[in-house]
């Protein structure tokens, strides 16, 4: 192709779309035209990208004319309907929804781990993993390459923004209602009565933790828990990997955290794990607990890397380590990984 590729951002006016526009402005500029696409009700709005105002156009078949790469930051059903349309018009569709993640003909890509998979796309679509998976998989993938992963047992601590804008709004509304009230939590039912509207959550989130994220699947497992299992297997190329996940929603606005117990095929100690993680692209090691130095969502929000701390050798298994990871679920967990995949594709087109 001649010149720089044309990029379309579908869902440019949404929460992830706004982060994407910031990334496109601050990352190395590999694009020619950037076309902003959204629902018809958002058409005509003007958004700032790369220092220029760009008018949003309505989602339609014609919107993908001459587009080389189309990034989708929209709900599953929109991606399912429109990503194949973009591909049929000649674009490579990079989808941030869950519509194609487990399709065997659609690669599920994390550029730090399996970049070559992006070149094998028989449907013209590349999928972006779930934000919780992305919070841990860059660190886990680096350790797997060095020590051979055999099993994962994880517990996630997922931010309200993982449930969309409704999750953020609900958390803030509940915090407003409980602010200044010191008697809550002493009797069952008090917190529910005070916060009222639960929004997208099955229980109050303010002053609470909720051991549930996603929708109900088989035998009591949630969709978020199965995403961690299935997506980790696919990204790492380990279809029989043993994975057990418990997903918990916590009263944090943005940034997911995950406590990880990882078992490997050979011995891995704390120092060896440190060395691997320090050298891993996209990972920042922050692990001096004696000085209170470890990652928390408040420290990590707004940053791009996966942050790792609390690395410990298992007390009972020389082949296992435990650690804690944090990752901004709107950046690496959504927009950034999508942008990195799109840049991989652009490099292959040039």
């Amino acid at each position: 192709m001649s010149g720089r590729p044309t990029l379309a951002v579908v869902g440019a006016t949404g929460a992830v779309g706004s982060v994407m526009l910031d990334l496109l402005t601050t990352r190395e500029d590999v694009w020619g035209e950037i076309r902003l696409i959204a629902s018809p009700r958002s058409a005509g709005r003007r958004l700032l990208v790369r220092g220029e105002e760009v008018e949003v156009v309505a989602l339609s078949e014609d919107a993908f004319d001459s587009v080389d790469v189309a990034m989708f930051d929209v709900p599953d059903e929109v991606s399912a309907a429109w990503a194949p349309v973009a591909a049929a018009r000649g674009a490579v569709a990079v989808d941030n929804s869950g519509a194609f993640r487990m399709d065997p003909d659609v690669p599920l890509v994390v550029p730090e781990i399996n970049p070559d998979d992006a070149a094998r796309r028989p449907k013209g679509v590349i999928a972006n993993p779930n934000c919780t998976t992305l919070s841990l998989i860059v660190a886990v993938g680096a350790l797997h390459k060095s020590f051979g992963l055999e099993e994962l047992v994880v517990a996630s601590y997922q931010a309200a923004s993982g449930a969309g804008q409704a999750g953020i709004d609900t958390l803030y509304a509940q915090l407003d209602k409980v602010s200044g009230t010191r008697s809550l939590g002493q009797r069952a039912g008090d917190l529910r009565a005070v916060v009222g509207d639960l929004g997208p959550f099955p229980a109050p989130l303010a002053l609470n933790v909720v051991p549930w994220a996603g929708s109900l699947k088989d035998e009591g497992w949630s969709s978020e828990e199965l995403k961690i299992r299935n997506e980790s297997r696919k990204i790492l190329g380990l279809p029989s990997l043993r994975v057990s996940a418990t997903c918990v929603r916590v009263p944090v606005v943005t940034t997911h955290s995950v406590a990880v117990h990882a078992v490997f095929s050979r011995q891995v100690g704390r120092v060896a794990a440190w060395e691997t993680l320090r050298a891993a692209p996209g990972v920042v090691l922050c692990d001096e607990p004696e000085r209170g130095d470890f990652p928390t969502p408040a420290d990590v929000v707004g940053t791009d890397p996966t942050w790792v701390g609390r690395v410990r050798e298992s007390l009972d298994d020389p082949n296992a380590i435990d650690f804690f990871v944090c990752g901004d679920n709107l950046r690496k967990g959504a927009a950034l990984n999508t942008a990195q995949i799109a840049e991989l594709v652009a490099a292959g087109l040039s």
Side-chain angles (χ1 to χ4, degrees):
M1 62 172 294
S2 60
R4 296 194 295 177
T6 295
L7 174 71
V9 180
V10 186
T13 58
V16 177
S18 63
V19 177
M20 182 64 73
L21 298 189
D22 176 63
L23 287 171
L24 290 172
T25 300
T26 55
R27 290 178 65 79
E28 181 182 356
D29 189 4
V30 302
W31 305 105
E33 178 192 354
I34 294 181
R35 194 172 303 173
L36 307 184
I37 302 174
S39 64
R41 68 177 178 273
S42 296
R45 288 181 58 184
R46 301 186 70 84
L47 302 177
L48 195 66
V49 57
R50 298 189 299 186
E52 298 180 3
E53 283 194 346
V54 178
E55 184 172 330
V56 176
V57 300
L59 180 60
S60 68
E61 291 188 15
D62 293 344
F64 297 105
D65 284 349
S66 302
V67 169
D68 297 294
V69 181
M71 299 192 298
F72 284 78
D73 297 310
V74 292
D76 291 12
E77 63 274 13
V78 179
S79 285
W82 286 97
V85 172
R89 305 287 279 207
V92 177
V94 182
D95 181 39
N96 191 32
S97 82
F100 299 97
R101 287 175 186 150
M102 299 316 299
D103 186 324
D105 291 324
V106 174
L108 186 64
V109 174
V110 179
E112 294 90 343
I113 299 174
N114 59 338
D116 292 344
D117 288 359
R120 297 184 287 270
R121 43 180 192 267
K123 292 187 174 181
V125 179
I126 302 171
N128 192 57
N130 175 260
C131 54
T132 315
T133 305
L134 278 166
S135 295
L136 66 94
I137 201 67
V138 177
V140 168
L143 292 166
H144 165 59
K145 288 179 181 178
S146 294
F147 305 106
L149 184 66
E150 292 190 340
E151 182 177 6
L152 282 176
V153 180
V154 304
S156 70
Y157 306 87
Q158 296 181 217
S161 57
Q165 189 62 45
I168 297 172
D169 293 343
T170 297
L171 176 58
Y172 278 128
Q174 292 182 359
L175 289 172
D176 286 342
K177 291 180 179 180
V178 303
S179 177
T181 305
R182 290 177 173 262
S183 61
L184 289 175
Q186 298 178 16
R187 292 183 301 274
D190 280 359
L191 188 58
R192 286 180 181 269
V194 170
V195 302
D197 182 21
L198 298 179
F201 310 118
L205 190 58
L207 302 181
N208 203 16
V209 296
V210 181
W212 188 260
S215 57
L216 179 64
K217 296 297 182 181
D218 296 336
E219 302 295 328
W221 293 95
S222 79
S223 58
E224 287 285 306
E225 290 159 350
L226 295 182
K227 286 174 186 177
I228 293 175
R229 173 184 173 87
N230 296 332
E231 293 176 16
S232 296
R233 287 175 159 189
K234 185 173 180 179
I235 295 164
L236 298 173
L238 299 173
S240 299
L241 179 67
R242 298 191 299 272
V243 182
S244 180
T246 300
C247 290
V248 181
R249 194 75 70 179
V250 295
V252 169
V253 176
T254 302
T255 297
H256 291 347
S257 305
V258 188
V260 181
H261 176 80
V263 182
F264 299 90
S265 61
R266 49 191 177 275
Q267 187 169 347
V268 49
R270 188 184 189 196
V271 173
W274 276 346
E275 291 173 349
T276 296
L277 292 166
R278 283 196 185 103
V283 174
V284 173
L285 182 67
C286 176
D287 193 17
E288 294 185 75
E290 65 278 6
R291 299 173 54 187
D293 193 10
F294 37 70
T296 74
D299 302 316
V300 168
V301 64
T303 68
D304 290 338
T306 294
W307 294 71
V308 183
R310 296 300 322 281
V311 179
R312 291 150 287 153
E313 298 177 30
S314 172
L315 297 176
D316 303 305
D317 184 348
N319 288 16
I321 58 169
D322 294 85
F323 55 95
F324 189 75
V325 300
C326 290
D328 187 316
N329 54 296
L330 298 181
R331 291 187 74 87
K332 180 58 177 176
L336 175 60
N337 200 74
T338 307
Q340 290 174 304
I341 295 171
E343 290 164 2
L344 271 179
V345 175
L349 294 174
S350 59

